Amino acid sequence: MKILKIFLLLSSLFLFLNASDDKHNRYSYKNLEYLNLNSEQLEKIKEVLIESKRKYKDFYEYKQAKEDKLKDIIENNIFDEKLYFDVLIDFKTKASLLEIEKMKNIHTILDEKQRKKFSKYLEEWEIE
């Protein structure tokens, strides 16, 4: 077991040391280096993302409660189509509003050139 741990540690270190440093050909999830943000923009984006993370945490708890409600509707002997639709629309609308708020805040921080670059990775920023 110790040998396995040592091997994993060494292989991780090897991968870390040999990682490419070319930031223009490499992109990772929500890595904003490709936008070349200045320090003020970077700080504002961090604030937006921290606030969004807090709101998303609350949203996912809310979504879980709504999904439980959907399960209850399915388990009932009579399927209430209207109630199912209302519950579904409710949490999907809330998710959309959160995403719009986040995107609006990010949009105001970025300049025109940065927005064009950012738009290429927009799908990765959608709420699941």
Side-chain angles (χ1 to χ4, degrees):
M1 192 63 155
K2 288 181 182 180
I3 294 173
L4 180 60
K5 289 180 182 177
I6 292 171
F7 174 76
L8 289 173
L9 180 64
L10 290 175
S11 61
S12 297
L13 183 60
F14 176 77
L15 291 173
F16 176 76
L17 292 175
N18 288 319
S20 172
D21 203 28
D22 184 8
K23 69 179 179 182
H24 296 291
N25 292 330
R26 180 179 51 123
Y27 176 78
S28 65
Y29 178 69
K30 293 189 181 176
N31 176 356
L32 299 174
E33 287 181 14
Y34 67 97
L35 294 175
N36 299 319
L37 300 170
N38 63 37
S39 59
E40 182 181 340
Q41 286 177 312
L42 188 59
E43 191 59 38
K44 287 180 181 179
I45 292 280
K46 284 181 183 179
E47 290 172 10
V48 167
L49 294 179
I50 289 169
E51 179 64 20
S52 293
K53 186 176 180 179
R54 185 190 61 75
K55 289 181 179 181
Y56 288 162
K57 183 178 183 259
D58 295 341
F59 167 74
Y60 287 124
E61 291 172 6
Y62 175 82
K63 181 181 175 189
Q64 184 62 47
K66 293 297 181 179
E67 287 175 340
D68 290 344
K69 179 72 173 167
L70 293 176
K71 288 177 187 176
D72 292 343
I73 295 169
I74 293 294
E75 291 173 358
N76 284 340
N77 290 336
I78 299 173
F79 181 75
D80 188 340
E81 186 176 331
K82 182 183 179 336
L83 182 58
Y84 192 92
F85 178 79
D86 290 344
V87 172
L88 193 63
I89 290 298
D90 183 43
F91 79 80
K92 292 197 181 257
T93 300
K94 190 167 184 161
S96 297
L97 292 173
L98 283 173
E99 185 174 338
I100 289 167
E101 180 184 3
K102 178 182 65 179
M103 288 301 139
K104 179 183 174 189
N105 291 335
I106 291 173
H107 182 271
T108 60
I109 296 168
L110 302 177
D111 64 28
E112 185 178 347
K113 187 176 178 183
Q114 291 167 328
R115 285 192 293 263
K116 284 182 181 181
K117 289 180 183 178
F118 182 76
S119 70
K120 294 177 184 175
Y121 300 103
L122 191 58
E123 187 176 300
E124 297 176 5
W125 290 78
E126 292 175 355
I127 299 176
E128 300 279 326

